[in-house]
Coordinates of all heavy atoms in Angstrom, one line a residue:
R1 N 19.6 121.2 107.5 CA 20.6 120.7 106.6 C 22.0 121.1 107.1 O 23.0 120.3 106.9 CB 20.4 121.3 105.2 CG 21.0 120.5 104.1 CD 20.6 120.9 102.7 NE 19.2 120.7 102.4 CZ 18.8 119.6 101.8 NH1 19.6 118.6 101.4 NH2 17.5 119.5 101.5
N2 N 22.2 122.2 107.7 CA 23.5 122.6 108.3 C 24.0 121.7 109.3 O 25.1 121.3 109.4 CB 23.4 124.0 108.8 CG 23.3 125.1 107.7 OD1 23.6 124.8 106.6 ND2 22.7 126.2 108.1
R3 N 23.1 121.2 110.2 CA 23.4 120.3 111.3 C 23.9 118.9 110.6 O 24.8 118.3 111.1 CB 22.3 120.0 112.2 CG 22.2 121.2 113.2 CD 21.2 120.8 114.4 NE 19.9 120.6 113.9 CZ 18.9 121.5 113.9 NH1 19.1 122.7 114.4 NH2 17.7 121.1 113.5
L4 N 23.2 118.5 109.6 CA 23.5 117.3 108.9 C 24.9 117.4 108.3 O 25.8 116.5 108.4 CB 22.5 117.0 107.8 CG 22.8 115.8 106.9 CD1 22.8 114.5 107.8 CD2 21.8 115.7 105.8
D5 N 25.2 118.5 107.6 CA 26.5 118.7 107.0 C 27.6 118.8 108.0 O 28.8 118.5 107.6 CB 26.4 120.0 106.1 CG 25.5 119.9 104.9 OD1 25.2 118.7 104.5 OD2 25.1 120.9 104.4
A6 N 27.3 119.2 109.2 CA 28.3 119.4 110.2 C 28.7 118.1 110.9 O 29.7 118.0 111.7 CB 27.9 120.4 111.3
T7 N 28.0 117.0 110.7 CA 28.3 115.7 111.3 C 29.5 115.1 110.7 O 30.0 115.5 109.7 CB 27.1 114.7 111.2 OG1 26.8 114.5 109.8 CG2 25.8 115.3 111.9
S8 N 30.0 114.0 111.4 CA 31.1 113.3 110.9 C 30.8 112.6 109.6 O 29.6 112.3 109.4 CB 31.5 112.2 111.9 OG 31.9 112.8 113.1
P9 N 31.8 112.5 108.7 CA 31.5 111.9 107.4 C 30.9 110.5 107.5 O 31.2 109.8 108.5 CB 32.9 111.9 106.7 CG 33.8 112.4 107.7 CD 33.2 112.8 108.9
G10 N 30.1 110.1 106.5 CA 29.5 108.8 106.5 C 30.1 108.0 105.4 O 31.0 108.5 104.7
P11 N 29.6 106.8 105.1 CA 28.5 106.2 105.8 C 28.9 105.7 107.2 O 30.1 105.4 107.4 CB 28.1 105.0 104.9 CG 29.3 104.7 104.2 CD 30.1 106.0 104.0
W12 N 27.9 105.6 108.1 CA 28.1 105.1 109.4 C 27.6 103.6 109.4 O 26.8 103.2 108.7 CB 27.3 105.9 110.4 CG 27.7 107.3 110.6 CD1 28.8 107.9 110.0 CD2 27.1 108.3 111.3 NE1 28.9 109.3 110.3 CE2 27.8 109.5 111.1 CE3 25.9 108.4 112.1 CZ2 27.4 110.7 111.7 CZ3 25.5 109.5 112.7 CH2 26.3 110.7 112.5
K13 N 28.2 102.9 110.4 CA 27.8 101.5 110.5 C 27.8 101.1 112.0 O 28.7 101.3 112.7 CB 28.9 100.6 109.8 CG 28.6 99.1 109.8 CD 29.6 98.3 109.1 CE 29.3 96.9 109.1 NZ 30.3 96.0 108.5
A14 N 26.6 100.5 112.3 CA 26.5 99.9 113.7 C 27.2 98.6 113.8 O 27.1 97.8 112.9 CB 25.0 99.8 114.0
I15 N 27.9 98.4 114.9 CA 28.7 97.2 115.1 C 28.1 96.5 116.3 O 28.2 96.9 117.5 CB 30.2 97.5 115.4 CG1 30.8 98.4 114.3 CG2 31.0 96.3 115.6 CD1 30.8 97.8 112.9
K16 N 27.5 95.3 116.0 CA 26.8 94.5 117.0 C 27.9 93.9 117.9 O 28.9 93.4 117.4 CB 25.9 93.5 116.4 CG 24.9 92.9 117.3 CD 23.9 92.1 116.5 CE 22.7 91.8 117.5 NZ 21.6 91.3 116.7
G17 N 27.6 93.8 119.1 CA 28.6 93.2 120.1 C 29.5 94.3 120.7 O 29.8 94.2 121.9
D18 N 30.0 95.2 119.8 CA 30.8 96.3 120.4 C 30.0 97.5 120.8 O 30.5 98.4 121.4 CB 31.8 96.7 119.3 CG 32.9 95.7 119.0 OD1 33.2 94.9 119.9 OD2 33.5 95.7 117.9
D19 N 28.7 97.5 120.4 CA 27.8 98.6 120.8 C 28.4 99.9 120.4 O 28.5 100.8 121.3 CB 27.4 98.5 122.2 CG 26.5 97.3 122.5 OD1 25.9 96.8 121.6 OD2 26.5 96.9 123.7
C20 N 28.8 100.1 119.2 CA 29.3 101.4 118.7 C 28.9 101.6 117.3 O 28.4 100.8 116.6 CB 30.8 101.4 118.9 SG 31.7 100.3 117.8
I21 N 29.1 102.8 116.9 CA 28.9 103.2 115.5 C 30.2 103.7 114.9 O 30.9 104.6 115.5 CB 27.8 104.4 115.4 CG1 26.5 103.8 115.9 CG2 27.7 104.9 114.0 CD1 25.4 104.9 116.0
L22 N 30.6 103.1 113.8 CA 31.8 103.5 113.1 C 31.5 104.3 111.9 O 30.6 104.0 111.2 CB 32.6 102.2 112.8 CG 33.0 101.3 113.9 CD1 33.8 100.1 113.4 CD2 33.8 102.1 115.0
G23 N 32.4 105.2 111.6 CA 32.4 105.9 110.3 C 33.4 105.3 109.4 O 33.9 104.2 109.6
P24 N 33.7 106.1 108.3 CA 34.6 105.5 107.3 C 36.0 105.2 108.0 O 36.4 105.9 108.9 CB 34.8 106.7 106.3 CG 33.6 107.5 106.5 CD 33.2 107.4 107.9
E25 N 36.6 104.3 107.4 CA 38.0 103.9 107.9 C 38.0 103.4 109.4 O 39.0 103.4 110.0 CB 39.0 105.0 107.7 CG 39.1 105.4 106.2 CD 40.0 106.6 106.0 OE1 40.7 107.0 106.9 OE2 39.9 107.2 104.9
G26 N 36.8 103.0 109.9 CA 36.7 102.4 111.2 C 36.8 103.5 112.3 O 37.0 103.1 113.5
I27 N 36.6 104.7 112.0 CA 36.7 105.8 113.1 C 35.4 105.7 113.9 O 34.3 105.7 113.4 CB 36.8 107.2 112.4 CG1 38.2 107.2 111.7 CG2 36.8 108.2 113.5 CD1 38.3 108.4 110.8
E28 N 35.5 105.6 115.2 CA 34.4 105.5 116.1 C 33.6 106.8 116.2 O 34.2 107.9 116.5 CB 34.8 105.1 117.5 CG 33.6 104.8 118.4 CD 34.0 104.1 119.7 OE1 34.4 103.0 119.7 OE2 33.9 104.8 120.7
I29 N 32.3 106.8 115.8 CA 31.5 108.0 115.9 C 30.8 108.1 117.2 O 30.7 109.1 117.8 CB 30.4 107.9 114.8 CG1 31.1 107.8 113.4 CG2 29.5 109.1 114.8 CD1 31.9 109.0 113.0
L30 N 30.4 106.9 117.7 CA 29.6 106.8 119.0 C 29.9 105.5 119.6 O 29.8 104.5 119.0 CB 28.1 107.0 118.7 CG 27.2 107.0 119.9 CD1 27.4 108.2 120.8 CD2 25.7 107.0 119.4
G31 N 30.2 105.5 120.9 CA 30.5 104.3 121.6 C 29.8 104.2 122.9 O 29.5 105.3 123.5
F32 N 29.5 103.0 123.4 CA 28.8 102.9 124.7 C 29.6 102.0 125.6 O 30.3 101.1 125.1 CB 27.4 102.2 124.4 CG 26.5 103.1 123.6 CD1 26.4 102.9 122.3 CD2 25.7 104.1 124.3 CE1 25.5 103.8 121.5 CE2 24.9 104.9 123.5 CZ 24.8 104.7 122.1
S33 N 29.4 102.2 126.9 CA 30.2 101.4 127.8 C 29.2 100.4 128.5 O 28.0 100.5 128.2 CB 30.8 102.3 128.9 OG 29.8 102.9 129.7
E34 N 29.7 99.6 129.4 CA 28.8 98.7 130.1 C 27.8 99.4 131.0 O 26.8 98.9 131.5 CB 29.6 97.7 131.0 CG 30.4 98.3 132.1 CD 31.8 98.8 131.7 OE1 32.1 98.8 130.5 OE2 32.5 99.3 132.5
W35 N 28.0 100.7 131.2 CA 27.1 101.5 132.1 C 25.9 102.0 131.3 O 24.9 102.4 131.9 CB 27.9 102.7 132.7 CG 29.1 102.3 133.5 CD1 30.4 102.3 133.1 CD2 29.0 101.7 134.8 NE1 31.2 101.8 134.1 CE2 30.4 101.4 135.2 CE3 28.0 101.4 135.7 CZ2 30.7 100.9 136.4 CZ3 28.3 100.9 136.9 CH2 29.7 100.6 137.3
I36 N 26.0 102.0 130.0 CA 24.9 102.5 129.2 C 24.4 101.4 128.4 O 25.1 100.7 127.6 CB 25.4 103.6 128.3 CG1 25.9 104.8 129.1 CG2 24.3 104.1 127.3 CD1 26.6 105.9 128.2
R37 N 23.1 101.1 128.5 CA 22.5 100.0 127.7 C 21.8 100.6 126.5 O 21.2 101.6 126.6 CB 21.4 99.3 128.6 CG 22.0 98.7 129.9 CD 22.6 97.3 129.6 NE 23.0 96.8 130.9 CZ 24.2 96.4 131.1 NH1 25.1 96.6 130.2 NH2 24.5 95.8 132.3
V38 N 22.0 99.9 125.4 CA 21.4 100.4 124.2 C 20.8 99.2 123.4 O 21.5 98.2 123.3 CB 22.4 101.2 123.3 CG1 23.5 100.4 122.9 CG2 21.7 101.8 122.1
K39 N 19.6 99.3 122.9 CA 19.1 98.2 122.1 C 19.7 98.3 120.7 O 20.0 99.3 120.2 CB 17.5 98.5 121.9 CG 16.7 98.2 123.1 CD 15.3 98.5 122.9 CE 14.7 98.0 121.7 NZ 13.2 98.3 121.5
W40 N 19.9 97.1 120.1 CA 20.5 97.0 118.8 C 19.7 97.8 117.8 O 20.3 98.5 116.9 CB 20.6 95.5 118.4 CG 21.0 95.4 116.9 CD1 20.2 94.9 115.9 CD2 22.2 95.7 116.3 NE1 20.9 94.9 114.7 CE2 22.2 95.4 115.0 CE3 23.4 96.2 116.8 CZ2 23.2 95.6 114.1 CZ3 24.5 96.4 116.0 CH2 24.4 96.1 114.6
E41 N 18.4 97.7 117.8 CA 17.6 98.5 116.9 C 17.8 100.0 117.0 O 17.8 100.7 116.0 CB 16.1 98.1 117.1 CG 15.7 96.7 116.8 CD 16.0 95.7 117.9 OE1 16.5 96.1 119.0 OE2 15.8 94.5 117.7
D42 N 18.0 100.5 118.2 CA 18.3 101.9 118.4 C 19.6 102.3 117.8 O 19.8 103.3 117.1 CB 18.3 102.3 119.9 CG 16.9 102.1 120.5 OD1 15.9 102.2 119.8 OD2 16.9 102.0 121.7
L43 N 20.6 101.4 118.0 CA 21.9 101.6 117.4 C 21.9 101.7 115.9 O 22.5 102.5 115.3 CB 22.9 100.5 117.9 CG 24.4 100.8 117.9 CD1 24.7 102.0 118.7 CD2 25.2 99.6 118.3
E44 N 21.2 100.7 115.3 CA 21.0 100.7 113.8 C 20.3 102.0 113.3 O 20.7 102.6 112.3 CB 20.2 99.5 113.4 CG 21.0 98.3 113.2 CD 20.3 97.2 112.5 OE1 19.1 96.9 112.9 OE2 20.8 96.6 111.6
F45 N 19.3 102.4 114.1 CA 18.6 103.6 113.7 C 19.5 104.8 113.7 O 19.5 105.6 112.7 CB 17.4 103.9 114.7 CG 16.6 105.1 114.4 CD1 15.6 105.1 113.5 CD2 16.9 106.3 115.1 CE1 14.8 106.2 113.3 CE2 16.2 107.4 114.8 CZ 15.2 107.4 113.9
M46 N 20.3 104.9 114.7 CA 21.3 106.1 114.8 C 22.3 106.0 113.7 O 22.7 107.0 113.1 CB 22.0 106.1 116.2 CG 21.1 106.5 117.3 SD 22.0 106.5 118.9 CE 21.6 105.0 119.6
A47 N 22.8 104.8 113.4 CA 23.8 104.6 112.4 C 23.3 105.0 111.0 O 24.0 105.6 110.2 CB 24.3 103.2 112.3
H48 N 22.0 104.8 110.7 CA 21.4 105.1 109.4 C 20.8 106.5 109.4 O 20.4 106.9 108.3 CB 20.4 104.0 109.1 CG 21.0 102.7 108.8 ND1 21.6 102.4 107.6 CD2 21.1 101.6 109.6 CE1 22.0 101.1 107.7 NE2 21.8 100.6 108.9
A49 N 20.7 107.2 110.5 CA 20.0 108.5 110.5 C 20.6 109.5 109.5 O 19.9 110.2 108.9 CB 20.1 109.0 111.9
K50 N 21.9 109.5 109.4 CA 22.6 110.5 108.5 C 22.1 110.4 107.1 O 21.7 111.3 106.5 CB 24.1 110.4 108.6 CG 24.9 111.4 107.8 CD 26.4 111.2 108.0 CE 27.1 112.2 107.1 NZ 27.2 113.5 107.7
E51 N 22.1 109.1 106.6 CA 21.7 108.9 105.2 C 20.2 109.0 105.1 O 19.7 109.6 104.1 CB 22.2 107.5 104.7 CG 23.6 107.4 104.5 CD 24.2 108.4 103.5 OE1 23.6 108.5 102.4 OE2 25.2 109.0 103.8
D52 N 19.4 108.6 106.1 CA 18.0 108.7 106.0 C 17.5 110.1 106.0 O 16.7 110.5 105.2 CB 17.3 108.0 107.2 CG 17.5 106.4 107.1 OD1 17.9 105.9 106.0 OD2 17.3 105.8 108.1
I53 N 18.1 111.0 106.8 CA 17.8 112.4 106.9 C 18.1 113.1 105.6 O 17.4 113.9 105.0 CB 18.4 113.1 108.1 CG1 17.7 112.5 109.4 CG2 18.3 114.6 108.0 CD1 18.4 113.0 110.7
K54 N 19.3 112.7 105.0 CA 19.7 113.3 103.8 C 18.7 113.0 102.7 O 18.3 113.8 101.9 CB 21.1 112.8 103.4 CG 21.7 113.3 102.1 CD 23.0 112.7 101.8 CE 23.5 113.0 100.4 NZ 24.8 112.3 100.1
D55 N 18.3 111.7 102.6 CA 17.3 111.3 101.6 C 16.0 112.0 101.8 O 15.4 112.4 100.8 CB 17.1 109.7 101.7 CG 18.3 108.9 101.3 OD1 19.2 109.5 100.6 OD2 18.4 107.7 101.6
L56 N 15.5 112.1 103.0 CA 14.3 112.8 103.3 C 14.3 114.3 102.9 O 13.4 114.8 102.3 CB 13.9 112.7 104.8 CG 13.5 111.4 105.3 CD1 13.4 111.3 106.8 CD2 12.1 111.0 104.7
L57 N 15.5 115.0 103.2 CA 15.6 116.4 102.8 C 15.6 116.5 101.3 O 15.0 117.4 100.7 CB 16.9 117.0 103.4 CG 16.8 117.2 104.9 CD1 18.2 117.6 105.4 CD2 15.8 118.2 105.3
N58 N 16.3 115.6 100.6 CA 16.3 115.6 99.1 C 14.9 115.4 98.6 O 14.5 116.0 97.6 CB 17.3 114.5 98.6 CG 18.7 114.9 98.8 OD1 19.0 116.1 99.0 ND2 19.6 113.9 98.8
E59 N 14.1 114.5 99.2 CA 12.7 114.2 98.7 C 11.9 115.5 98.9 O 11.1 115.8 98.1 CB 12.1 113.0 99.5 CG 10.7 112.7 99.0 CD 10.7 112.2 97.6 OE1 11.7 111.9 96.9 OE2 9.5 112.3 97.0
I60 N 12.1 116.2 100.0 CA 11.3 117.4 100.3 C 11.7 118.4 99.2 O 10.8 119.1 98.6 CB 11.6 118.0 101.7 CG1 11.0 117.1 102.7 CG2 11.2 119.5 101.8 CD1 11.5 117.4 104.2
D61 N 13.0 118.6 98.9 CA 13.4 119.5 97.8 C 12.7 119.1 96.4 O 12.2 120.0 95.7 CB 14.9 119.5 97.6 CG 15.6 120.1 98.8 OD1 15.0 120.9 99.5 OD2 16.8 119.9 98.9
N62 N 12.7 117.8 96.1 CA 12.0 117.3 94.9 C 10.5 117.7 94.9 O 10.0 118.1 93.9 CB 12.3 115.8 94.7 CG 13.7 115.5 94.4 OD1 14.5 116.3 94.0 ND2 14.1 114.3 94.7
L63 N 9.9 117.4 96.0 CA 8.4 117.7 96.0 C 8.1 119.2 95.9 O 7.2 119.6 95.3 CB 7.8 117.1 97.3 CG 7.8 115.6 97.4 CD1 7.4 115.1 98.8 CD2 6.9 115.0 96.4
R64 N 9.0 120.0 96.6 CA 8.8 121.4 96.5 C 9.0 121.9 95.0 O 8.2 122.8 94.6 CB 9.8 122.2 97.4 CG 9.4 122.1 98.8 CD 10.4 122.9 99.7 NE 9.9 122.9 101.1 CZ 10.7 123.2 102.1 NH1 12.0 123.4 101.9 NH2 10.2 123.2 103.3
A65 N 10.0 121.3 94.4 CA 10.2 121.7 93.0 C 9.0 121.3 92.1 O 8.6 122.1 91.2 CB 11.5 121.0 92.4
E66 N 8.4 120.1 92.3 CA 7.2 119.7 91.6 C 6.1 120.6 91.8 O 5.3 121.0 90.9 CB 6.8 118.3 92.0 CG 7.8 117.2 91.4 CD 7.3 115.8 91.8 OE1 6.2 115.6 92.1 OE2 8.2 114.9 91.8
I67 N 5.9 121.0 93.1 CA 4.8 121.9 93.4 C 5.0 123.3 92.7 O 4.1 123.8 92.2 CB 4.7 122.1 95.0 CG1 4.2 120.8 95.6 CG2 3.7 123.3 95.3 CD1 4.3 120.8 97.1
Y68 N 6.2 123.8 92.8 CA 6.5 125.1 92.2 C 6.3 125.0 90.7 O 5.7 125.9 90.1 CB 8.0 125.5 92.5 CG 8.4 126.8 91.8 CD1 7.9 128.0 92.3 CD2 9.2 126.8 90.7 CE1 8.2 129.2 91.7 CE2 9.5 127.9 90.1 CZ 9.0 129.2 90.6 OH 9.4 130.3 89.9
E69 N 6.7 123.9 90.0 CA 6.5 123.8 88.6 C 5.0 123.7 88.2 O 4.6 124.2 87.2 CB 7.1 122.5 88.1 CG 8.7 122.5 88.0 CD 9.3 121.2 87.7 OE1 8.6 120.3 87.2 OE2 10.5 121.1 87.8
G70 N 4.2 123.2 89.1 CA 2.8 123.1 88.9 C 2.1 124.5 89.0 O 1.0 124.7 88.5
E71 N 2.7 125.4 89.7 CA 2.1 126.7 89.9 C 2.4 127.7 88.8 O 1.8 128.7 88.6 CB 2.6 127.4 91.2 CG 2.1 126.6 92.4 CD 2.7 127.2 93.7 OE1 3.6 128.1 93.7 OE2 2.3 126.8 94.8
V72 N 3.4 127.3 88.0 CA 3.9 128.2 86.9 C 2.9 128.1 85.7 O 2.3 127.2 85.4 CB 5.3 128.0 86.5 CG1 5.7 128.8 85.3 CG2 6.2 128.2 87.6

């Protein structure tokens, strides 16, 4: 969770054609040059990773809370 919190603010957005990921206000988070090839699907995955990981961690917290409540 600390690594997630330390990343650039989101939401992030993959920009097709420019092969980059932009954060809020159009700030470039990650860019690629003609020397680096990246699949569009990989770029989208990276752009959504911040929110997806946050959602997964929250779900883990919720499940742990449910398990703990069941033990009481």
Side-chain angles (χ1 to χ4, degrees):
R1 203 172 292 267
N2 290 337
R3 283 192 296 264
L4 176 64
D5 293 340
T7 61
S8 298
W12 297 351
K13 181 178 179 182
I15 305 298
K16 198 167 193 170
D18 289 336
D19 293 337
C20 67
I21 296 174
L22 300 180
E25 301 174 15
I27 297 169
E28 188 172 288
I29 302 297
L30 182 65
F32 295 94
S33 71
E34 66 274 5
W35 301 101
I36 299 173
R37 302 276 185 238
V38 62
K39 288 174 48 178
W40 170 248
E41 293 81 5
D42 295 339
L43 200 61
E44 276 193 310
F45 179 85
M46 288 183 262
H48 292 280
K50 181 178 179 78
E51 290 301 314
D52 292 346
I53 291 170
K54 179 181 173 186
D55 291 343
L56 289 169
L57 291 172
N58 288 337
E59 182 63 18
I60 289 169
D61 290 343
N62 291 337
L63 292 170
R64 284 181 176 162
E66 286 180 26
I67 290 169
Y68 178 73
E69 286 175 12
E71 292 177 354
V72 175

